Amino acid sequence: MSTSDTSPATASAPLPIVDVHVVLRTPDGKILLSQRGGPYGYGQWHAPSGKLDPGEKPAHGAARELAEETGITTDPARLRLAYTVLHHQDSAPLRLGLFYLATAWQGEPVNREPEKCLDLRWFAEDDLPDDLIPYPAAGIRGALTDPGGLAYHGWPAA
């Protein structure tokens, strides 16, 4: 192998950002969504989510983000990895989105990050808003219809 080899395995690329998302689902099929108030996706909907902290186990990060954003608590052992999305967006670092399904939790949702979130609302899973942010929408829909699946979102056509 030459030192000029720039295959994906040897190229110096930034590590992917790992996002953890929680699809909170009631027994009657309602999904909790938050409406973004930050610059990315302002006014659009997505699931409670955030970046994984260094050294943090993904399910623990998902439970932490859920509590930080909504006040709802869940045992990380009660979260099931339901879908994975590899998100590519122009020159931004690759994002690995892990979508967890939660069906058991404690508490009622409260907007604990009003500077980042405009609203929290329950939606019927078969009537989600049209203005979901596309990357999380792929994971939410995949978690509901293709558990265990993987999607490549935003990748250029081969």
Side-chain angles (χ1 to χ4, degrees):
M1 176 188 307
S2 78
T3 57
S4 63
D5 184 357
T6 57
S7 68
T10 60
S12 178
L15 293 174
I17 295 169
V18 179
D19 297 321
V20 288
H21 308 254
V22 180
V23 179
L24 203 64
R25 183 183 194 194
T26 65
D28 63 346
K30 295 234 169 43
I31 305 295
L32 182 68
L33 297 177
S34 62
Q35 188 178 36
R36 288 200 48 96
Y40 174 73
Y42 184 87
Q44 293 180 295
W45 296 92
H46 70 110
S49 63
K51 294 181 189 84
L52 192 63
D53 287 343
E56 188 175 36
K57 292 180 178 178
H60 289 254
R64 174 187 52 77
E65 286 289 348
L66 180 65
E68 286 175 4
E69 293 183 12
T70 70
I72 292 175
T73 58
T74 189
D75 181 343
R78 300 297 304 262
L79 295 174
R80 179 175 55 84
L81 181 59
Y83 204 73
T84 303
V85 177
L86 290 173
H87 175 64
H88 180 273
Q89 185 173 334
D90 302 321
S91 62
L94 178 67
R95 297 185 91 95
L96 173 65
L98 302 174
F99 289 78
Y100 286 88
L101 184 61
T103 56
W105 63 85
Q106 296 79 44
E108 292 295 323
V110 174
N111 184 356
R112 295 188 59 183
E113 296 184 332
E115 70 285 357
K116 297 179 184 177
C117 177
L118 301 173
D119 194 8
L120 289 173
R121 196 178 308 166
W122 294 98
F123 290 88
E125 68 181 78
D126 59 356
D127 192 25
L128 297 176
D130 291 333
D131 56 349
L132 283 167
I133 297 172
Y135 153 44
I140 293 166
R141 289 190 174 107
L144 297 173
T145 62
D146 185 24
L150 168 68
Y152 293 91
H153 184 266
W155 288 75

